[in-house]
Amino acid sequence: MTDKPNNDQPSDLTLASRRSFLKHSIIAASGVALFGGMSLGMRSAAWAAGGDVETSKAKLGFIALTDAAPLFVAAEKGFFAKYGMTEVEVLKQSSWGTTRDNLVLGSAKNGIDGAHILTPMPYLISAGIVTPNNQPVPMSILARLNLAGQCISVGEEYRDLKIGLDSTPFKAALEAKKAGGKKVSAAVTFPGGTHDLWMRYWLAAGGIDPNADINTIVVPPAQMVANMKVGSMDTFCVCEPWNAQLINQKIGYTANTTGELWHNHPEKAFALRSDYVAANPNAARALTMAIMEAQQFCEKAENKEEVAKICSQRKWIGAPYKDIVDRMKGNFAYGTGKVIENHPEQMRYWDDHASYPFQSHDLWFLTENKRWGYLPADFDSQALIAKVNREDIWRAAAGELNLPAELIPTSTSRGVEKFFDGKLFDPENPQAYLDSLTIKAMA
């Protein structure tokens, strides 16, 4: 059986995770001195045109993944402080479940105000799908943090198959393993989240029903490699550095990077509780501006090694630099002899409108959640997108940053999207997309 959101399951916000939560808090104000020697007064003057922030405080969660780099950089380089947000805490979370729990609590109850987050999660939280007692907690997406850059990896036992984009050979291997009385599992990071959806799409495209042919289990990103090592799963989907670390430890290899499934697909988002945004609209815009500036820094080739070093610090990801730097720079060794330098499907932090939260992309995520039964078929996706997606704040931030017109999308839709198996998603007709799919949970 596939794991589904279970509101009766105990919260993973334990006492230990609370201690870790506090231990790893980072005050962005500590980065003020790093910001080019500019005084706080000068920064405040520079921000005055956009309006004074209502609060200089925000508690933002993150998971130890390289697509959280814009938050790390915004703290380390003083970008939060530049826009008046001098008391931003960037707090490590142990899992996406912990992120959810802390968002539900909010900072007033020792939780968090916002987070680096799987794009579907703010929708699932806002709809009360994954919250205790199905209580909705309104969330707002202010920016996308990155495009692509995730990977699907498989265990060493499948090395001879050299599984790649086509999961069809994997199906026969899984069936043989099950025939021998062994369990087969695919690990993802949160039900209905991006990694769950990439894994399901890839499996289903090769004729593997993720609800019937394989167990889908939820494992926190930082625990993926250890669990693969002891044989808990046959495949997993996660961001870096865990796929590269799997290869470096000779436990498995990369089947594909998810951009190969869908070119420049949307991935993580920067989201805040909607009550924080309502009470602090200028602060919300300031946070968005800081993150957008950090995204531009992360994108530049000359900064990649520095960003990798920042990510490797214990307070952030806490993984070896060598496990981070190559894929950060776009160089992918799959662990099978296949090597692609400057990969066309490498993670984008800023280029190709990576930061702008297209509403059409949010519609795809909600449509896929319907496909797999996380949302009812008659769920009003457009109504929720209108509440959760705050691309208007992104545009306001872009205006304050004086971004040139070519960097600001003219539409909330990126148009028709094409997947590696030839399927098309037209945001004007999501039902046609669903009807074209052979394997799905919905009737």
Side-chain angles (χ1 to χ4, degrees), residues 188-400:
V188 298
T189 61
F190 192 83
T194 57
H195 302 120
D196 186 22
L197 301 182
W198 309 139
M199 176 63 75
R200 288 171 176 273
Y201 196 101
W202 176 67
L203 291 173
I208 303 170
D209 188 333
N211 283 341
D213 299 332
I214 192 168
N215 299 293
T216 304
I217 61 175
V218 175
V219 176
Q223 296 178 24
M224 288 289 190
V225 175
N227 275 273
M228 182 74 88
K229 187 174 184 177
V230 298
S232 297
M233 78 276 282
D234 299 87
T235 180
F236 66 63
C237 183
V238 75
C239 185
E240 300 303 336
W242 310 116
N243 300 283
Q245 191 170 99
L246 183 82
I247 294 170
N248 291 340
Q249 294 187 20
K250 296 180 171 49
I251 302 169
Y253 62 93
T254 294
N256 58 76
T257 181
T258 52
E260 295 172 293
L261 304 179
W262 175 13
H263 176 62
N264 274 348
H265 70 71
E267 184 50 44
K268 304 298 190 301
F270 168 55
L272 292 168
R273 283 177 54 111
S274 294
D275 56 5
Y276 181 96
V277 176
N280 309 290
N282 290 340
R285 186 170 70 250
L287 290 169
T288 305
M289 292 169 68
I291 287 172
M292 290 166 73
E293 187 162 345
Q295 287 180 280
Q296 294 174 64
F297 183 94
C298 291
E299 185 70 37
K300 293 179 180 177
E302 63 267 29
N303 296 334
K304 296 290 188 181
E305 291 185 2
E306 181 180 355
V307 174
K309 288 176 182 176
I310 289 172
C311 287
S312 69
Q313 294 179 41
R314 185 173 181 180
K315 63 185 176 183
W316 302 126
I317 294 178
Y321 172 75
K322 67 179 179 63
D323 289 344
I324 299 173
V325 67
D326 285 342
R327 293 188 175 192
M328 177 69 69
K329 295 168 72 173
N331 301 325
F332 281 70
Y334 285 63
T336 59
K338 177 181 177 181
V339 178
I340 299 179
E341 302 288 326
N342 193 25
H343 204 302
E345 303 301 345
Q346 64 188 274
M347 186 184 295
R348 296 295 180 200
Y349 292 103
W350 182 256
D351 288 355
D352 301 327
H353 299 309
S355 179
Y356 178 73
F358 285 100
Q359 292 183 8
S360 60
H361 291 161
D362 290 355
L363 180 60
W364 181 85
F365 284 118
L366 294 177
T367 302
E368 278 289 300
N369 268 272
K370 288 183 180 182
R371 176 187 183 182
W372 299 115
Y374 294 121
L375 291 174
D378 61 354
F379 186 82
D380 191 341
S381 298
Q382 296 287 11
L384 190 59
I385 289 171
K387 294 178 181 178
V388 174
N389 186 297
R390 295 301 307 273
E391 60 87 35
D392 59 309
I393 295 177
W394 189 97
R395 290 182 183 275
E400 293 288 346

Side-chain angles (χ1 to χ4, degrees), residues 26-261:
I26 309 297
I27 307 297
S30 66
V32 171
L34 298 174
F35 192 72
M38 184 183 289
S39 70
L40 181 59
M42 292 171 66
R43 286 191 303 275
S44 297
W47 170 242
D52 292 336
V53 295
E54 303 83 1
T55 177
S56 60
K57 298 179 180 180
K59 292 184 176 182
L60 307 177
F62 75 92
I63 294 290
L65 299 167
T66 55
D67 51 23
L71 273 70
F72 310 158
V73 167
E76 292 281 344
K77 308 298 283 188
F79 295 149
F80 286 130
K82 176 183 179 182
Y83 298 107
M85 300 304 293
T86 55
E87 299 177 87
V88 176
E89 297 177 72
V90 183
L91 306 161
K92 185 178 286 187
Q93 312 292 294
S94 61
S95 69
W96 293 115
T98 301
T99 300
R100 171 206 56 205
D101 293 339
N102 278 320
L103 285 169
V104 169
L105 287 173
S107 63
K109 296 181 180 178
N110 296 318
I112 55 180
D113 299 303
H116 149 256
I117 198 165
L118 300 165
T119 286
M121 283 184 67
Y123 286 97
L124 299 175
I125 293 170
S126 294
I129 301 297
V130 296
T131 55
N133 301 314
N134 298 118
Q135 184 65 40
V137 178
M139 296 290 300
S140 297
I141 289 177
L142 287 75
R144 203 79 67 205
L145 288 177
N146 70 296
L147 303 176
Q150 320 303 294
C151 286
I152 294 176
S153 292
V154 294
E156 192 68 16
E157 64 184 293
Y158 303 103
R159 172 158 297 279
D160 291 345
L161 292 177
K162 291 187 177 181
I163 296 166
L165 266 178
D166 183 7
S167 64
T168 304
F170 196 38
K171 179 178 182 179
L174 293 175
E175 289 175 347
K177 187 171 181 178
K178 286 194 294 182
K182 295 181 180 179
K183 191 174 182 179
V184 295
S185 299
V188 298
T189 61
F190 192 83
T194 57
H195 302 120
D196 186 22
L197 301 182
W198 309 139
M199 176 63 75
R200 288 171 176 273
Y201 196 101
W202 176 67
L203 291 173
I208 303 170
D209 188 333
N211 283 341
D213 299 332
I214 192 168
N215 299 293
T216 304
I217 61 175
V218 175
V219 176
Q223 296 178 24
M224 288 289 190
V225 175
N227 275 273
M228 182 74 88
K229 187 174 184 177
V230 298
S232 297
M233 78 276 282
D234 299 87
T235 180
F236 66 63
C237 183
V238 75
C239 185
E240 300 303 336
W242 310 116
N243 300 283
Q245 191 170 99
L246 183 82
I247 294 170
N248 291 340
Q249 294 187 20
K250 296 180 171 49
I251 302 169
Y253 62 93
T254 294
N256 58 76
T257 181
T258 52
E260 295 172 293
L261 304 179

